[in-house]
Amino acid sequence: MKPDRQAVIREIISSQTIETQNQLMEALAARGVRSTQATVSRDIREMRLVKDLGPDGRYRYQLPSKDITPEFDLKLRKIFRESITSYEVAQNIVVLKTLPGLASAACSALDSMKLPHLVGSLAGDDTAFLAMSDKDSAVEFCKLIEEMLK
């Protein structure tokens, strides 16, 4: 069931602009696939879907680039998840607070993920500054952080 549902999700996000989990649930229902918000959220996390700015100027779910092997990607996400203590948006900058000595590891993990709209990162001991392409990208990235930390 899950592989079938995730295959339908791939088809949906490849052919439609899906901005929210609710839109994805509605698109699944229209194709006869019933799901809950929790299930859709888990699918998004497992499929490593990212939100990217589409050609129409709206953010939408997309499949991630295939540049990183799954095992390496999982390790980087684990490092990121275990090192972050807080995050906040300041215009187009995302400020991450980490456990002491881990800001560099968190930035390395993020840089390796090749996230859209991440222009660059700068790490100190327990604080990292992430320059995003604009404020909306910074806000969207914080939502992604929230999902990754769950």
Side-chain angles (χ1 to χ4, degrees):
M1 180 98 172
K2 178 165 75 170
D4 294 334
R5 184 181 59 249
Q6 290 185 354
V8 173
I9 290 172
R10 279 187 203 87
E11 291 172 19
I12 290 170
I13 65 172
S14 297
S15 63
Q16 299 177 40
T17 297
I18 301 293
E19 298 177 80
T20 66
Q21 291 182 10
N22 284 337
Q23 287 177 338
L24 184 54
M25 285 174 42
E26 290 169 6
L28 284 167
R31 293 188 181 207
V33 179
R34 294 177 43 144
S35 63
T36 65
Q37 186 276 329
T39 300
V40 168
S41 181
R42 274 191 301 274
D43 286 338
I44 288 170
R45 187 171 42 248
E46 288 175 12
M47 296 171 68
R48 296 179 186 83
L49 299 182
V50 295
K51 276 198 171 179
D52 195 13
L53 192 61
D56 59 358
R58 299 182 341 200
Y59 283 93
R60 63 185 180 160
Y61 283 109
Q62 288 186 312
L63 292 168
S65 64
K66 304 241 183 215
D67 295 332
I68 300 176
T69 63
E71 301 82 29
F72 187 61
D73 187 36
L74 288 173
K75 287 179 185 177
L76 289 174
R77 287 176 185 271
K78 183 176 181 183
I79 290 169
F80 180 78
R81 191 172 35 253
E82 291 179 358
S83 65
I84 302 301
T85 59
S86 68
Y87 54 93
E88 191 168 334
V89 173
Q91 296 297 333
N92 70 315
I93 304 292
V94 175
V95 180
L96 297 177
K97 292 299 234 171
T98 70
L99 295 172
L102 294 179
S104 182
C107 283
S108 179
L110 289 169
D111 290 340
S112 297
M113 288 179 202
K114 297 186 181 2
L115 298 167
H117 307 291
L118 176 60
V119 178
S121 62
L122 178 66
D125 182 56
D126 63 357
T127 304
F129 293 97
L130 308 174
M132 305 304 290
S133 56
D134 55 48
K135 185 177 180 177
D136 290 337
S137 297
V139 171
E140 285 299 317
F141 180 69
C142 281
K143 291 177 185 175
L144 177 64
I145 292 172
E146 188 173 324
E147 286 296 314
M148 288 196 306
L149 295 180
K150 286 183 179 179

